[in-house]
Amino acid sequence: MKQVSELFRIPSLVILLVSRLPSGHLLAAAFGVIFLVDVYWFSTQVASVVLFPMGIGFFTGTVLGGFLTDWTVRRNRRNGPVAILQTAQFTFAIIAYLGTQIDWVGMPETKNTDLT
């Protein structure tokens, strides 16, 4: 436990951890199924299957990001983790923009008219 508390004495790590809290992808993971069910009228099962690739992406990104961060820290101990986080944040911003601000054709209106 002492080793973990010592980590919080590193200012750049504290900044990295705090900056991750308001990230929208955490909300998408937590409320994605509810959003698809309430807004697009997906069944819970279909919404879960639709979001399954996001879970795989989270897992893969975490593992690959860990390896990439370790490699970067070995090359640049002072700025490596910050550079990785900034790259991840900008990449997420670009992907979020493309996913939310462009009207991609192909998302069918699946409004459930049988609400009785």
Side-chain angles (χ1 to χ4, degrees):
M1 190 65 174
K2 183 181 177 187
Q3 292 174 331
V4 173
S5 64
E6 288 176 5
L7 289 174
F8 290 101
R9 294 186 185 147
I10 303 170
S12 61
L13 180 65
V14 173
I15 291 170
L16 293 174
L17 292 174
V18 170
S19 71
R20 298 306 284 172
L21 291 176
S23 294
H25 67 282
L26 299 174
L27 289 172
F31 299 106
V33 172
I34 296 167
F35 174 76
L36 290 176
V37 169
D38 287 349
V39 175
Y40 289 105
W41 298 93
F42 283 30
S43 69
T44 305
Q45 296 84 0
V46 170
S48 298
V49 170
V50 167
L51 292 178
F52 184 68
M54 187 172 68
I56 292 173
F58 277 168
F59 177 76
T60 305
T62 300
V63 172
L64 293 178
F67 285 123
L68 183 63
T69 302
D70 287 345
W71 176 78
T72 307
V73 167
R74 285 194 297 272
R75 295 195 67 194
N76 186 348
R77 191 167 190 80
R78 180 173 170 83
N79 299 323
V82 175
I84 292 293
L85 177 69
Q86 290 303 312
T87 303
Q89 291 287 76
F90 283 121
T91 303
F92 174 74
I94 291 167
I95 292 171
Y97 176 81
L98 293 173
T100 60
Q101 301 304 310
I102 296 175
D103 187 16
W104 298 97
V105 179
M107 185 67 166
E109 286 294 324
T110 56
K111 300 262 184 216
N112 186 356
T113 56
D114 184 27
L115 297 177
T116 57

